[in-house]
Amino acid sequence: MALSRHLSLWGLCVLLLGTVVGGQDLELRLKDGGHRCEGRVEVKHQGEWGTVNNYKWGLEEAAVVCRQLGCGAAVDALQRVHFGPAVGPIWFNVIYCRGTESDITECSYPTVKDYRPEGLSHDQDAGVVCSGFMRLAEGDGPCSGRVEVHSGKDWTPVSDGNFTFPTAQVICAELGCGKVVSVLGHVPFRESGGRVWAEEFRCKGEEPELWFCPRVPCPGGTCHHSGAVQVVCSEVRLMTNGSSQCEGQVEMNISGRWRALCASHWSLANANVVCRQLNCGVAISTPRGPHFVEGSDQISTVRFHCSGLESFLWSCPVTALGGPDCSHGNTASVICSGNQTQVLPQCNDSVSEPVGSVASKESVPYCSDSRQLRLVDGGGPCAGRVEILDQGSWGTICDDGWDLVDARVVCRQLGCGEALNAMGSAHFGAGSGPIWLNNLNCTGNESHVWKCPSRGWGRHDCRHKQDAGVICSEFLALRMVSEDQQCAGWLEVFYNGTWGSVCRSPMEDITVSIICSQLGCGDSGRLNSSVALREGSRPRWVDGIRCRNTDTSLWQCPSDHWNYTSCSPKEEAYISCAGSRQLRLVDGGGPCTGRVEILDQGSWGTICDDGWDLDDARVVCRQLGCGQALNALQFAELGQGSGPIWLDELNCGGKESHVWRCPSQGWGQHDCRHVEDAGVVCSGFVRLAGGEGSCSGRVEVHSGEDWTPVSDGNFTLPTAQVICAELECGKAVSVPGHMPFKESDGQVWAEEFRCEGEEPKLWSCPRVPCPGGTCHHSGVAQVVCSVYAEARLMTNGSSQCEGQVEMNISGQWRVLCASHWSLANANVVCRQLGCGVAISTPRAPRFVEGGDQISTVRFHCLGAESFLWMCPVTALGGSDCSHGNTAYVICSGNQTQALPQCNDSLSEPVGSAASEESTLYCSDSRQLRLVEGGGHCAGRVEIFDQGSWGTICDDGWDLDDARVVCRQLGCGQALNATRFAHFGAGSGPIWLDDLNCTGNESHVWRCPSRGWGRHDCRHKEDAGVICSEFLALRMVSEDQQCAGWLEVFYNGTWGSVCRSPMEDITVSIICRQLGCGDSGSLNSSVALREGSRPHWVDGIQCRKTDTSLWQCPSDPWNYNSCSPKEEAYISCAGRRPKSCPTAAPCTDREKLQLRGGDSECSGRVEVWHSGSWGTVCDDSWSLAEAEVVCQQLGCGQALEAVQAAGFGPGNGSIWLDEVHCGGRESSLWDCAVEPWGQSDCKHEEDAGVRCSGARTTLAPSTAGTRATSNPLPGIFSLPGVLCLILGSLLFLVLIILVTQLLRWRAERRALSSYEDALAEAVYEELDYLVTQKEGLLGSPGFLSDGEDNDSRSAPEAPDQRTDAPGEDYDDAEEVPAPGAPPASQGSEEEVPPEKEYEMRSSQTRSSLNVSREEANPGEGEERPWLLQGEKGDPEYDDVELSVQGISTVTFS
């Protein structure tokens, strides 16, 4: 059994025990195939041809056979007498090849002898299908394109150097494509084309195949060329009296034999294609008559359905089944113009053929602006909506007066037989574009439908719901009729408007395979002759069907003529396709992961894992449309199955269409038990990529090779619903579209999906090939799924615009809890339901609950969102909620209702308890948010009004004010009311100041204040809050970044997370959220953790739709959710990239640098991202972007925006492209830009800047990366302070010089004694001031930014405070005239305590660390993490000099 389980062991045994026939000359051939390169494998040994047994026969062995015969690549390795049984010996019982050998004798095999006496028979002969040595690639069909030959490894183009016309003749003859039309050189090689064939072919033109032509190696192994060679062959000709020219009977080379075409379905559009293919201009007419000489022994009844603009006849749809009986006098003939540039008469649009005239096809010239006719959306070329192409647009025909006579003209013009039905009222769907014709009144004899009498071209009074359609007699459809099976039953064809049976003689395997494939039932099947005689009467339409390898559908297969009684009832065909077997994956949690099971003979069975590997799994994944095989599972890893074990010892090559077509021990033959059941993990057929999580993003499907984007052309919401359901992502809530394709995206999926919305998988949806293989689109299709898609308001069991809020979560309607429900959330619900705006959110137990369960999901809406799923959501640690505390909303019920305007001038009275239940929502309602805090429940308070976000001043800001903010946002209780721009200085207006909330107001702007927009503050006084619902996440470890004890910050304290029942999806989300890769594991072997802390949350159960831990449902928050031994310790698979170029934390400024310049303020711009420095592309790079860089680096103004790598090209990544700044942003990070790392640039396009000044240095911030969005200019750094001090000294020296001058003048002019005394006093005071200043400079710590200077700061008198100047200007206060009272003599009682606190020159400051990776668990345990920071306030930089007897001079 071990021998059969391990292929490598088997090969070793063969090598040891067998005989390797090295150097023995064994002749090889393929027998009984359609051509030299396919057939049964036969080997000539001792002068006699014998076969090879198919045991272990796979694509590796077939590849060696194809290579040895010069037949290209192995397409299929066939077994079980596919090419019929042979006679004679069986020389090999097994051959084992690696696939790289050049000759079959290099493979391993036992002794060559006749194995028939040992029990082997010819019903197990091996066969091969090879691609062939030569092909024409990337042409308009199989008979034109670039010449490529197969090297044994891949396809290689042939150069046009010394390529001859006889060589092209051999190629066309080998392909069965007639004669050479043209040989084109100078075709550019593709960059991906690889090598050029290193030989020149010297054919004489008579060789049967290119393989047999003489070859000459190119000098030096490199062929001289100007490009690849392209050959165009023709399988059609026009014959008159035995000569081929541009006029005559149409003949086609079919299977190497020239045959005339029948005229019964021949059209002028077909004729035009023939003339173009033969370089004979355009078709003038298609005369009929016996006056032309027939040059063929047989007449083909193949019918072509050309539009008239195809380049080759084979590009047209073709039908061969049931061809009509045709005489030599009824053969197709064509007269071509013979000159491609001939000027043909213009079509006369205004005049139709007179009613009653018989239009003769023989005399109708083809117009130079000829229109086209087609039938669409009918399932074939002979049924559907009638459309005409003119002036570049497809348009329709109105059904006014539309009847069978009009339809007859259409069917005949298209070569589709007789008209069966004239359909109206857009029976085949409404079209688009123009409506070309109306009130048509054909006689039935017109050659073109636009030649019928009508109202006039383009004149109508119709809409597309009146589009006309037809069903012609040549419309064909196929089905199987069975009571209980999809892929087995009586075969029926729809012809001439009626379903009828198909006769089974002489239906061969290739015909059955094509039928099964066309019906989507696999690639093989069999005729079943054991079924009972079928009851009832019906037509038996066709017999004698003989399909060929080149046919792709039953319609292309030649057969006997259509006949109502083609055979007797007992000869009706009953077919069982291999697709009647079904394949599925079970117990894997999804349709593309699980144990492999096959349904056959009514029973589901399994596959044994002997020899089970990725090649076998690859076939399963492809067959199920599940994308790429990721893992081949063994030993019943996904549980044991039951029932039969259908397959064992599977040895797939990886390219088989069905897993049961792989080599195996035999159907139902095994020596296994269900503990050996095989399973697979597939990638899935569809995914959403590039979005936030796996449930939103760009739609991509797996082609079997790689992921390919789907275009947004005709992408529908039902298709999106199927995708969301398949991915277990809830419902589709948005289909944006118009996302531009990246150049690197490569090809686009060449099919349109037509899902109805009920299909289980996208793979099961109907598909329509895009016209010409290219889908019309404006970008990539995108889908956003959500489990929070549906909401309703319920009162007494009815849904309306007032009631209890319920949401459909995972298929179950659940009531939402009111504990964190806000009026902003309510407003979104009303808008989503089309119920206007929210009037109030009353709470009381009197309302009836309609849901079985209550959900504790918390939404944090601003109020302006269109749908509830657009709002940030938190599910972790949901509070316990009773039915009396459910969310309830009363909507206005009318979206256009005029609501009262908000009263900005009046706040709610102090002391009043504003009730949310009675609060009316204003029509110009403001919005509230918290920013720069790392979450929606902590940060700087901002209010949106009049189109601008503004802040609140911190004068009087306290916990009562913060309480209103937290409650309004649904963020729980207020933990801290932060001041002094703790979360960074904002921008825009300052809406409120001197707030004095009671804590019960419904909105923060209803609190008493100085008035809307009235203040005397600057943004360095912006207020912030930290609410109890603010959450943060970290891992605590002494020495690792991505492994440690998991902790969550809640209610102002760090606490541990409990590990029950934490599944893999939960661990993956945690690792991804922490930037530590996409997977991880719980570690239960670590020692018990020391110390005491809260154990905040347990029972976390994340879903696939969740993108962060905060969205995962769990048990309610609890200080003791579990015991210490149940704390979670997680080890993630990835490593977190350094967030800073140096030691963290850092600011935006430290993530930006200039390199390669002649100073520190000029050079190539480089940014730090994902652990490395990279450059910026110069696309859209201008002075505005340069200005932001210079200001961010403290380098003054931008002088020049340097492009084209002016400071030399960089290396590494190009992180940013298409940067668009306004010029006033505080950081390059705030500018609009393409996503990180998405660029189409090279380093020759690196951007640079040249700034005006030298760089200044900012004091480092402990706030972590980007704690403050507006870093202040470098004037407040150490060099800035030095400049201020030196400036003050110069100013004092100037005063001294002026005083000396005045004194000298006073003495000289002999002024009064009073003036002399005054001058002497001033001199003494200034001398004292200089002395004090020198002492100040010599004092230690004066230049330290972190020292508290309160003792040297004089408080400002209340009557001196005015509105603050702009943020970037610090003005010196005026020095009062001599004699004014000094500031130091002011009364302290005149300064309010809070103002004295505000005017201190520096305060102990703290910043919120918004980057989870910067959190240092080892520091600051004595105070809350959010409030830790360093001393020193870089926002406050006033330097005051106070000298007795002189007014304070303040440098601000």
Side-chain angles (χ1 to χ4, degrees):
M1 184 172 177
L3 178 66
S4 61
R5 286 189 183 181
H6 303 287
L7 193 59
S8 60
L9 183 58
W10 164 256
L12 180 61
C13 292
V14 169
L15 284 170
L16 293 174
L17 302 177
T19 301
V20 179
V21 187
Q24 181 176 344
D25 187 15
L26 293 178
E27 194 174 343
L28 189 68
R29 74 179 181 185
L30 299 179
K31 186 71 172 175
D32 293 339
H35 51 82
R36 184 182 73 88
C37 291
E38 71 172 23
R40 182 178 58 254
V41 181
E42 294 190 357
V43 179
K44 192 174 184 179
H45 177 63
Q46 297 177 351
E48 189 175 2
W49 288 99
T51 62
V52 176
N53 186 266
N54 65 17
Y55 183 63
K56 293 293 182 182
W57 187 256
L59 279 175
E60 290 84 359
E61 290 72 30
V64 178
V65 170
C66 294
R67 184 179 300 114
Q68 182 175 345
L69 292 173
C71 283
V75 175
D76 206 352
L78 301 172
Q79 302 178 355
R80 305 206 179 261
V81 215
H82 185 87
F83 295 104
V87 293
I90 301 174
W91 288 129
F92 295 89
N93 67 343
V94 65
I95 294 179
Y96 177 72
C97 303
R98 295 185 303 275
T100 57
E101 298 87 349
S102 58
D103 192 287
I104 197 76
T105 60
E106 297 176 10
C107 299
S108 302
Y109 49 86
T111 303
V112 179
K113 66 179 182 178
D114 189 357
Y115 284 91
R116 285 179 297 174
E118 298 183 14
L120 296 186
S121 65
H122 282 294
D123 60 2
Q124 294 178 326
D125 286 343
V128 169
V129 176
C130 307
S131 64
F133 174 61
M134 174 273 306
R135 72 177 182 183
L136 298 180
E138 297 188 6
D140 292 315
C143 293
S144 70
R146 184 178 60 251
V147 181
E148 293 183 350
V149 293
H150 203 279
S151 64
K153 295 183 179 179
D154 51 21
W155 289 102
T156 307
V158 174
S159 76
D160 58 1
N162 296 323
F163 189 88
T164 62
F165 194 83
T167 302
Q169 287 286 24
V170 172
I171 290 172
C172 291
E174 179 180 348
L175 294 174
C177 290
K179 301 295 183 181
V180 178
V181 174
S182 64
V183 178
L184 305 174
H186 309 289
V187 179
F189 286 107
R190 297 171 301 163
E191 289 185 10
S192 59
R195 297 178 294 119
V196 181
W197 189 253
E199 293 176 316
E200 295 176 359
F201 293 94
R202 301 289 176 86
C203 302
K204 297 178 180 178
E206 304 299 326
E207 293 85 353
E209 293 181 18
L210 186 65
W211 174 260
F212 297 105
C213 291
R215 310 180 205 175
V216 177
C218 299
T222 303
C223 290
H224 171 71
H225 64 83
S226 58
V229 66
Q230 181 173 315
V231 171
V232 179
C233 311
S234 174
E235 57 185 5
V236 67
R237 68 185 181 186
L238 299 178
M239 293 294 293
T240 303
N241 296 324
S243 63
S244 177
Q245 45 189 0
C246 289
E247 173 183 341
Q249 182 174 265
V250 184
E251 296 183 2
M252 176 165 276
N253 190 327
I254 300 175
S255 300
R257 188 173 184 182
W258 288 99
R259 304 173 68 183
L261 297 186
C262 187
S264 61
H265 294 79
W266 189 253
S267 69
L268 200 60
N270 295 346
N272 202 48
V273 175
V274 170
C275 294
R276 181 179 299 109
Q277 183 172 342
L278 295 175
N279 290 326
C280 285
V282 295
I284 300 298
S285 63
T286 58
R288 295 184 186 174
H291 51 275
F292 290 111
V293 177
E294 293 81 12
S296 301
D297 297 335
Q298 244 182 324
I299 297 178
S300 172
T301 57
V302 170
R303 285 92 72 201
F304 293 94
H305 310 279
C306 302
S307 66
L309 291 183
E310 294 87 353
S311 299
F312 300 93
L313 203 57
W314 61 71
S315 300
C316 305
V318 61
T319 306
L321 189 73
D325 197 7
C326 198
S327 65
H328 279 292
N330 192 29
T331 55
S333 296
V334 175
I335 299 176
C336 302
S337 66
N339 182 356
Q340 210 160 11
T341 60
Q342 175 178 336
V343 178
L344 296 178
Q346 294 291 314
C347 292
N348 189 345
D349 298 336
S350 60
V351 180
S352 302
E353 292 170 349
V355 176
S357 68
V358 179
S360 171
K361 283 197 185 185
E362 288 77 359
S363 61
V364 178
Y366 213 75
C367 309
S368 62
D369 60 347
S370 54
R371 302 171 178 130
Q372 293 181 51
L373 181 70
R374 71 178 181 184
L375 301 178
V376 296
D377 292 338
C382 291
R385 180 176 62 252
V386 184
E387 292 193 354
I388 302 171
L389 177 68
D390 188 48
Q391 302 169 26
S393 298
W394 286 100
T396 61
I397 297 178
C398 181
D399 63 4
D400 291 345
W402 183 254
D403 57 22
L404 267 179
V405 180
D406 307 321
R408 190 173 298 126
V409 176
V410 171
C411 291
R412 188 177 62 253
Q413 183 177 343
L414 290 172
C416 284
E418 295 299 317
L420 299 179
N421 208 337
M423 319 296 291
S425 303
H427 177 84
F428 294 103
S432 59
I435 297 176
W436 290 127
L437 293 172
N438 189 20
N439 292 120
L440 222 60
N441 187 22
C442 302
T443 65
N445 295 316
E446 291 84 357
S447 59
H448 297 75
V449 69
W450 45 80
K451 298 207 170 188
C452 297
S454 69
R455 177 180 288 194
W457 190 255
R459 298 179 182 176
H460 67 91
D461 56 358
C462 305
R463 289 187 292 171
H464 280 294
K465 64 181 181 180
Q466 298 169 265
D467 285 343
V470 300
I471 299 175
C472 306
S473 61
E474 287 293 313
F475 169 71
L476 303 174
L478 192 66
R479 71 180 182 186
M480 281 184 179
V481 178
S482 174
E483 293 182 359
D484 57 354
Q485 297 188 65
Q486 284 184 322
C487 291
W490 300 99
L491 187 65
E492 289 191 352
V493 64
F494 184 89
Y495 171 71
N496 206 28
T498 306
W499 285 102
S501 58
V502 175
C503 304
R504 58 186 172 89
S505 174
M507 202 174 283
E508 297 177 348
D509 287 347
I510 183 64
T511 303
V512 176
S513 295
I514 287 174
I515 291 169
C516 291
S517 179
Q518 186 170 342
L519 290 171
C521 288
D523 292 337
S524 62
R526 67 183 188 277
L527 276 170
N528 193 334
S529 56
S530 62
V531 291
L533 197 64
R534 191 179 183 194
E535 298 179 356
S537 175
R538 67 205 61 80
R540 292 176 288 278
W541 276 128
V542 67
D543 197 9
I545 303 173
R546 299 175 183 84
C547 294
R548 301 151 300 188
N549 287 332
T550 54
D551 298 323
T552 57
S553 75
L554 185 65
W555 316 139
Q556 298 175 9
C557 301
S559 71
D560 297 343
H561 310 307
W562 294 112
N563 193 333
Y564 194 88
T565 54
S566 295
C567 61
S568 65
K570 65 181 180 180
E571 294 179 286
E572 294 183 38
Y574 187 101
I575 290 179
S576 297
C577 296
S580 56
R581 291 176 182 158
Q582 297 179 38
L583 183 69
R584 71 180 182 184
L585 302 177
V586 296
D587 295 340
C592 290
T593 299
R595 181 177 60 254
V596 184
E597 293 193 352
I598 303 172
L599 175 67
D600 188 51
Q601 303 170 24
S603 298
W604 286 99
T606 62
I607 297 177
C608 181
D609 65 6
D610 292 346
W612 185 253
D613 58 20
L614 268 179
D615 283 337
D616 308 319
R618 195 171 293 124
V619 176
V620 171
C621 293
R622 183 188 303 109
Q623 183 176 344
L624 289 172
C626 280
Q628 185 178 7
L630 302 179
N631 202 356
L633 306 176
Q634 297 180 325
F635 306 114
E637 188 171 333
L638 297 174
Q640 298 181 29
S642 60
I645 298 176
W646 289 126
L647 291 171
D648 188 16
E649 295 287 354
L650 222 61
N651 185 21
C652 301
K655 296 185 178 180
E656 293 83 356
S657 58
H658 295 76
V659 69
W660 42 80
R661 296 194 67 183
C662 297
S664 70
Q665 192 162 309
W667 188 255
Q669 299 180 13
H670 67 91
D671 55 358
C672 305
R673 293 180 298 163
H674 282 295
V675 293
E676 300 171 82
D677 285 342
V680 299
V681 178
C682 308
S683 65
F685 175 61
V686 64
R687 72 177 183 183
L688 299 178
E692 185 181 353
S694 60
C695 290
S696 66
R698 180 176 64 251
V699 180
E700 294 183 349
V701 293
H702 202 279
S703 63
E705 301 293 335
D706 51 20
W707 289 102
T708 307
V710 175
S711 78
D712 59 3
N714 296 322
F715 189 88
T716 62
L717 187 61
T719 301
Q721 294 289 13
V722 172
I723 291 172
C724 292
E726 178 178 350
L727 297 177
E728 298 177 348
C729 287
K731 296 290 183 69
V733 294
S734 178
V735 185
H738 305 293
M739 178 182 181
F741 284 104
K742 297 181 297 180
E743 289 186 10
S744 58
D745 278 334
Q747 63 184 72
V748 181
W749 190 255
E751 294 175 315
E752 295 175 358
F753 294 95
R754 301 288 176 87
C755 303
E756 296 178 0
E758 303 299 325
E759 294 85 353
K761 295 194 300 180
L762 184 66
W763 177 262
S764 307
C765 291
R767 310 182 205 175
V768 178
C770 300
T774 303
C775 291
H776 171 73
H777 64 81
S778 57
V780 185
Q782 298 178 89
V783 171
V784 179
C785 311
S786 176
V787 292
Y788 305 117
E790 299 176 88
R792 67 184 183 187
L793 299 178
M794 295 294 291
T795 304
N796 296 323
S798 63
S799 178
Q800 46 191 357
C801 289
E802 173 183 343
Q804 185 172 259
V805 184
E806 296 183 4
M807 174 158 280
N808 190 336
I809 301 175
S810 301
Q812 185 176 13
W813 286 99
R814 302 176 69 183
V815 184
L816 296 187
C817 188
S819 61
H820 293 80
W821 189 254
S822 68
L823 201 59
N825 296 347
N827 201 47
V828 175
V829 170
C830 294
R831 183 180 297 109
Q832 179 173 343
L833 297 175
C835 287
V837 295
I839 300 299
S840 63
T841 58
R843 297 179 188 173
R846 63 181 185 274
F847 295 109
V848 179
E849 293 81 13
D852 297 334
Q853 271 186 300
I854 297 180
S855 172
T856 57
V857 170
R858 285 93 72 200
F859 293 93
H860 308 278
C861 303
L862 293 174
E865 296 88 351
S866 300
F867 300 94
L868 204 57
W869 58 264
M870 292 180 170
C871 305
V873 61
T874 306
L876 189 73
S879 56
D880 198 8
C881 196
S882 66
H883 277 291
N885 191 30
T886 54
Y888 195 92
V889 175
I890 300 176
C891 304
S892 66
N894 182 357
Q895 210 159 11
T896 60
Q897 174 178 340
L899 296 178
Q901 296 291 313
C902 291
N903 188 347
D904 297 338
S905 59
L906 297 178
S907 303
E908 292 168 350
V910 177
S912 68
S915 171
E916 285 198 34
E917 289 77 1
S918 60
T919 302
L920 194 66
Y921 213 78
C922 311
S923 62
D924 62 344
S925 53
R926 302 168 178 132
Q927 297 176 45
L928 182 69
R929 71 180 182 185
L930 302 178
V931 297
E932 303 289 356
H936 43 264
C937 288
R940 181 175 63 250
V941 184
E942 292 194 354
I943 302 171
F944 185 78
D945 188 45
Q946 302 171 29
S948 298
W949 286 100
T951 61
I952 297 177
C953 182
D954 63 5
D955 292 345
W957 183 253
D958 57 22
L959 269 178
D960 285 336
D961 307 321
R963 192 172 297 122
V964 176
V965 170
C966 291
R967 187 175 63 253
Q968 183 177 343
L969 290 172
C971 284
Q973 299 300 313
L975 299 179
N976 204 336
T978 66
R979 307 172 67 185
F980 307 120
H982 177 84
F983 295 102
S987 59
I990 297 177
W991 290 127
L992 293 172
D993 189 15
D994 287 314
L995 222 60
N996 187 21
C997 301
T998 65
N1000 297 315
E1001 290 84 357
S1002 59
H1003 296 75
V1004 69
W1005 46 80
R1006 297 197 170 209
C1007 297
S1009 68
R1010 179 178 287 199
W1012 189 254
R1014 298 179 181 175
H1015 68 92
D1016 56 356
C1017 305
R1018 288 187 289 171
H1019 280 295
K1020 62 185 179 181
E1021 300 171 77
D1022 285 342
V1025 299
I1026 301 171
C1027 306
S1028 61
E1029 287 293 312
F1030 170 74
L1031 303 173
L1033 192 66
R1034 72 180 182 185
M1035 283 184 181
V1036 177
S1037 173
E1038 293 182 359
D1039 57 354
Q1040 298 188 62
Q1041 280 187 320
C1042 289
W1045 299 100
L1046 187 65
E1047 289 192 352
V1048 63
F1049 185 88
Y1050 171 71
N1051 205 28
T1053 307
W1054 284 104
S1056 59
V1057 176
C1058 304
R1059 58 185 170 88
S1060 175
M1062 202 174 283
E1063 298 177 348
D1064 288 345
I1065 182 65
T1066 303
V1067 177
S1068 295
I1069 287 174
I1070 290 169
C1071 290
R1072 190 179 305 118
Q1073 185 171 342
L1074 290 171
C1076 287
D1078 292 336
S1079 62
S1081 60
L1082 275 171
N1083 192 335
S1084 56
S1085 61
V1086 291
L1088 197 64
R1089 192 179 180 192
E1090 298 179 357
S1092 175
R1093 68 203 60 81
H1095 306 130
W1096 274 131
V1097 65
D1098 196 10
I1100 303 174
Q1101 295 174 311
C1102 294
R1103 303 152 297 187
K1104 191 176 182 181
T1105 54
D1106 300 322
T1107 57
S1108 74
L1109 185 65
W1110 317 140
Q1111 299 175 9
C1112 300
S1114 71
D1115 296 342
W1117 295 110
N1118 190 334
Y1119 194 89
N1120 295 306
S1121 293
C1122 61
S1123 66
K1125 65 181 180 180
E1126 295 178 285
E1127 295 182 41
Y1129 186 101
I1130 290 181
S1131 298
C1132 296
R1135 287 191 58 82
R1136 187 164 50 212
K1138 289 178 63 179
S1139 61
C1140 292
T1142 55
C1146 60
T1147 63
D1148 282 353
R1149 177 167 170 178
E1150 289 155 331
K1151 294 184 181 181
L1152 186 68
Q1153 69 178 10
L1154 301 180
R1155 299 294 301 275
D1158 49 13
S1159 71
E1160 59 182 359
C1161 284
S1162 66
R1164 180 178 59 254
V1165 180
E1166 294 190 355
V1167 293
W1168 178 270
H1169 180 70
S1170 290
S1172 65
W1173 288 102
T1175 62
V1176 178
C1177 180
D1178 64 7
D1179 293 347
S1180 305
W1181 190 254
S1182 66
L1183 269 178
E1185 290 74 39
E1187 182 70 24
V1188 173
V1189 170
C1190 293
Q1191 292 295 331
Q1192 184 175 341
L1193 291 173
C1195 282
Q1197 292 183 329
L1199 301 179
E1200 183 183 0
V1202 181
Q1203 297 182 334
F1207 293 102
N1211 51 41
S1213 301
I1214 300 177
W1215 284 131
L1216 296 178
D1217 189 12
E1218 295 291 349
V1219 184
H1220 295 277
C1221 302
R1224 296 186 177 182
E1225 292 85 354
S1226 60
S1227 168
L1228 195 64
W1229 288 207
D1230 297 329
C1231 300
V1233 67
E1234 291 289 307
W1236 284 97
Q1238 294 190 15
S1239 166
D1240 57 356
C1241 304
K1242 298 181 180 179
H1243 281 295
E1244 286 73 18
E1245 302 172 77
D1246 285 344
V1249 297
R1250 195 179 300 278
C1251 308
S1252 63
R1255 181 179 299 186
T1256 56
T1257 305
L1258 275 173
S1261 166
T1262 60
T1265 304
R1266 304 206 62 200
T1268 303
S1269 63
N1270 293 324
L1272 293 175
I1275 189 69
F1276 301 110
S1277 60
L1278 183 60
V1281 174
L1282 288 173
C1283 289
L1284 288 174
I1285 295 173
L1286 291 174
S1288 63
L1289 290 174
L1290 290 174
F1291 179 70
L1292 292 175
V1293 170
L1294 180 62
I1295 293 176
I1296 293 172
L1297 291 175
V1298 171
T1299 304
Q1300 291 281 17
L1301 179 62
L1302 291 174
R1303 181 180 179 185
W1304 176 72
R1305 286 183 177 179
E1307 291 175 350
R1308 188 170 181 178
R1309 295 177 182 177
L1311 294 177
S1312 65
S1313 59
Y1314 172 76
E1315 290 173 334
D1316 290 338
L1318 179 60
E1320 183 66 22
V1322 172
Y1323 176 81
E1324 291 174 0
E1325 288 173 354
L1326 289 174
D1327 185 63
Y1328 175 76
L1329 181 59
V1330 173
T1331 304
Q1332 291 293 324
K1333 185 65 177 180
E1334 290 172 350
L1336 183 62
L1337 287 171
S1339 64
F1342 175 74
L1343 299 180
S1344 169
D1345 342 307
E1347 186 171 329
D1348 193 336
N1349 296 323
D1350 285 353
S1351 61
R1352 295 193 302 276
S1353 302
E1356 185 181 19
D1359 59 350
Q1360 290 179 320
R1361 180 165 180 168
T1362 60
D1363 286 351
E1367 283 285 348
D1368 297 323
Y1369 295 89
D1370 294 321
D1371 300 331
E1373 296 178 4
E1374 292 183 357
V1375 181
S1384 59
Q1385 296 174 8
S1387 173
E1388 291 186 1
E1389 286 73 27
E1390 295 176 0
V1391 182
E1394 66 272 19
K1395 301 303 178 185
E1396 179 181 3
Y1397 177 79
E1398 294 167 23
M1399 293 304 297
R1400 292 175 181 172
S1401 62
S1402 62
Q1403 297 291 341
T1404 300
R1405 300 290 306 279
S1406 61
S1407 299
L1408 173 63
N1409 189 340
V1410 300
S1411 175
R1412 59 178 176 271
E1413 49 200 326
E1414 319 304 11
N1416 188 347
E1419 298 179 7
E1421 297 293 343
E1422 68 279 357
R1423 13 178 216 164
W1425 165 72
L1426 287 174
L1427 299 179
Q1428 293 177 17
E1430 69 172 6
K1431 276 191 173 187
D1433 182 4
E1435 306 280 337
Y1436 290 81
D1437 47 82
D1438 299 341
V1439 179
E1440 297 179 355
L1441 301 178
S1442 180
V1443 182
Q1444 185 176 5
I1446 298 180
S1447 298
T1448 301
V1449 181
T1450 303
F1451 297 88
S1452 301

